Amino acid sequence: MKSLKDRPFNDFDETNPETQFWTDGTKVYNGVNSLRGANPKTFLYDGIFGKDDKKCFCGESWIKDADNQTFKVLNYTYAIDKNYVHTITGKVKDADIESFKILDDGKFLLWYNRMGIAEYTFYGYAKDKRNIYYHNYEGKPKIIKNADLESFSSFNDGYFAKDKNNIYGNGKIIKKADIGNWKKISELPDSLYSKDKKRIFYAFWEIDTDYESFKPEIPKNAKYSNHQIARDKNHFYENGEIITKERFNELNDRNIKYCTQHRI
């Protein structure tokens, strides 16, 4: 974990995720909110998590029942101590501490801010000796029922995963996906379009499209697509749903403008 002592006082930039914890020399802050009772002389942080010599924090909130001495950050989404696994939305219920481990970086690309800096949200897979867990910032982490513990792995984008039986998107089985031939169509980290040898998918469902001519529409050299649009010889798509040509052109123009404005 990083120490606030290694940074100057009042080192806060709202556009920079790395400066969200900061101090004025007297108090510790997360963004514009002060952390009640936090000690700037002993404060350590990593992502959304922080701790001093007495308490542990998630953002500006004190993590009740966290053990300060054993608390450590695992990735962008998960932290752990001798008693619990912690996330921004609460504890991972009944997780086995000894065998718990993360399966990816615990983050999904949300957007690029106006300074061209990537910002992420709290998505990620993890496991212990009993279960596979998925956190997607929609309530507390969920158990993926019937997932195969031994073969389960994440694609490290915070969204897609697989085991010997299934492909998963957003923690849900992508029905009919051929495990041996499934792949993402675009290399963009936030892209949710994928395919196997016969079918096209968006997120965790199949979409009815012309397989041969289908392709996502992505600005040249883009690192991120603000609107997930695509086309085939018959239709235009937004988030896997058919849209009009006018809507498609509007969103395509927005994507190009966004990439230019955010230097991505």
Side-chain angles (χ1 to χ4, degrees), residues 64-67 79-86 91-92 95 97:
K64 187 179 180 180
D65 299 328
D67 180 73
I80 196 169
D81 62 28
K82 68 177 184 178
N83 299 313
Y84 302 107
V85 177
H86 306 273
K91 299 179 181 69
V92 181
I97 303 302

Side-chain angles (χ1 to χ4, degrees), residues 126 156 246:
N156 202 34
E246 290 73 20

Side-chain angles (χ1 to χ4, degrees), residues 130-255:
R130 295 187 293 260
N131 297 303
I132 301 293
Y133 302 93
Y134 183 63
H135 185 280
N136 63 355
Y137 212 9
E138 297 177 6
K140 294 183 179 182
K142 301 169 181 64
I143 292 173
I144 302 179
K145 295 181 180 179
N146 301 317
D148 182 72
L149 285 168
E150 295 301 320
S151 62
F152 196 95
S153 63
S154 168
F155 286 91
N156 202 34
D157 57 8
Y159 199 89
F160 292 109
K162 69 176 181 178
D163 63 17
K164 67 179 184 179
N165 301 312
N166 296 296
I167 301 292
Y168 300 84
N170 199 28
K172 300 177 177 65
I173 293 173
I174 303 179
K175 295 179 179 179
K176 298 182 181 180
D178 180 358
I179 301 166
N181 295 292
W182 180 92
K183 64 179 181 179
K184 291 179 66 173
I185 298 176
S186 167
E187 294 301 317
L188 293 186
D190 65 309
S191 177
L192 301 184
Y193 287 106
S194 65
K195 68 179 182 178
D196 59 20
K197 283 190 173 182
K198 297 180 179 179
R199 299 177 176 87
I200 303 291
F201 306 93
Y202 179 78
F204 50 87
W205 64 88
E206 181 183 359
I207 59 177
D208 185 14
T209 183
D210 180 72
Y211 183 90
E212 295 301 328
S213 62
F214 183 89
K215 67 173 185 176
E217 191 75 15
I218 300 168
K220 186 177 180 180
N221 298 323
K223 295 188 291 184
Y224 168 80
S225 186
N226 195 33
H227 298 279
Q228 301 220 11
I229 56 176
R231 65 196 300 173
D232 64 17
K233 67 179 184 180
N234 302 313
H235 299 292
F236 301 93
Y237 303 85
E238 177 188 6
N239 300 335
E241 303 288 338
I242 294 174
I243 57 174
T244 64
K245 182 178 181 180
E246 290 73 20
R247 172 70 174 168
F248 174 87
N249 288 336
E250 175 189 349
L251 295 178
N252 192 37
D253 288 342
R254 287 187 191 178
N255 277 348

Side-chain angles (χ1 to χ4, degrees), residues 66-100:
D67 180 73
N68 176 275
Q69 296 302 311
T70 59
F71 185 89
K72 64 179 181 179
V73 178
L74 298 179
N75 64 11
Y76 200 74
T77 291
Y78 296 97
I80 196 169
D81 62 28
K82 68 177 184 178
N83 299 313
Y84 302 107
V85 177
H86 306 273
T87 73
I88 193 173
T89 57
K91 299 179 181 69
V92 181
K93 186 178 180 181
D94 299 326
D96 180 74
I97 303 302
E98 293 299 321
S99 62
F100 189 90

